[in-house]
């Protein structure tokens, strides 16, 4: 009787563990959409980059104040125009999709962004984290986190040199 009880308990335990829905994914349509958006960013194809977002998407860049898609695209384009090359290190990227406890779909992305300033050939390497929420296959919210200290310092140096040249 004791053996029957233990076997039944083991079967119930095994069955209970199998019924939990999958919450973490290494592959999904949303991951592919984010990757396509990153490829569009790296190619400077801003129309394609924007196409992955819902019209009402909010983008937060190291801030609690959101940007519109148009504002973010403009700032990315401005930054890209100062670079002779830029993009993410694909060898060291990590990406996953999570269904959170509210059943919201989030894709998380971690990678090293590398860029070379056109004005002085200075190479910058900046770790970046994206937290991207999807609804019906479109990005509705994006949080971008990175330490811009090195990039801001280089831009300040370039601005200071431009100011000195203008004074002469």
């Amino acid at each position: 009787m004791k053996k029957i009880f233990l076997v039944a308990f083991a079967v119930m335990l095994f069955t209970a563990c199998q019924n939990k829905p999958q919450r973490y994914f290494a592959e999904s349509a949303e991951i592919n959409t984010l990757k396509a958006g990153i490829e569009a960013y790296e190619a400077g194809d801003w129309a394609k980059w924007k196409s992955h977002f819902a019209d009402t998407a909010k983008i937060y860049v190291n801030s609690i104040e959101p940007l519109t898609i148009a504002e973010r695209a403009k700032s990315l384009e401005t930054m890209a125009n100062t670079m002779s090359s830029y993009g993410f290190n694909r060898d060291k990227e990590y990406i996953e999709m999570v269904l959170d406890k509210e059943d919201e779909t989030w894709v998380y992305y971690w990678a090293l962004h590398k860029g070379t300033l056109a004005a002085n050939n200075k190479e910058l390497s900046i770790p970046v984290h994206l937290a991207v929420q999807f609804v019906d296959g479109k990005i509705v919210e994006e949080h971008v986190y990175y330490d811009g200290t090195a990039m801001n310092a280089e831009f300040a140096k370039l601005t200071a040199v431009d100011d000195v040249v203008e004074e002469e």
Side-chain angles (χ1 to χ4, degrees):
M1 185 66 152
K2 190 176 190 181
K3 287 183 182 179
I4 294 174
F5 175 74
L6 288 175
V7 169
F9 181 71
V11 169
M12 286 183 352
L13 184 62
F14 179 75
T15 304
C17 291
Q18 297 293 17
N19 291 335
K20 289 186 178 181
Q22 185 175 355
R23 302 301 246 174
Y24 300 93
F25 303 84
E27 296 178 6
S28 72
E30 292 84 358
I31 287 173
N32 291 339
T33 297
L34 184 60
K35 286 180 177 181
I38 290 169
E39 288 171 8
Y41 157 75
E42 291 174 331
D45 187 342
W46 307 113
K48 187 173 182 182
W49 178 84
K50 289 178 194 178
S51 74
H52 300 291
F53 290 84
D55 293 338
T56 58
K58 292 184 169 95
I59 304 171
Y60 301 85
V61 181
N62 288 335
S63 175
I64 58 173
E65 296 298 322
L67 299 172
T68 65
I69 301 162
E71 290 169 329
R72 181 62 176 152
K74 183 66 176 162
S75 70
L76 288 173
E77 187 175 2
T78 300
M79 185 272 309
N81 288 338
T82 66
M83 303 283 185
S84 59
S85 67
Y86 65 95
F88 288 96
N89 182 348
R90 301 295 179 163
D91 297 333
K92 302 288 183 177
E93 73 181 355
Y94 178 79
I95 191 167
E96 71 175 354
M97 186 182 88
V98 175
L99 295 177
D100 69 11
K101 63 185 175 184
E102 286 89 26
D103 282 328
E104 294 177 336
T105 302
W106 289 86
V107 175
Y108 299 109
Y109 181 78
W110 295 264
L112 186 64
H113 186 274
K114 290 188 170 197
T116 303
L117 292 169
N120 62 6
N121 288 327
K122 174 77 176 183
E123 187 175 290
L124 301 172
S125 296
I126 301 170
V128 174
H129 171 63
L130 305 177
V132 183
Q133 184 183 18
F134 283 83
V135 173
D136 297 328
K138 293 283 191 175
I139 298 169
V140 295
E141 192 168 310
E142 180 177 61
H143 297 263
V144 182
Y145 300 103
Y146 65 94
D147 180 358
T149 306
M151 182 173 61
N152 292 339
E154 289 302 319
F155 286 143
K157 286 180 192 174
L158 292 173
T159 301
V161 169
D162 287 345
D163 289 344
V164 169
V165 170
E166 287 179 9
E167 288 177 9
E168 294 175 355

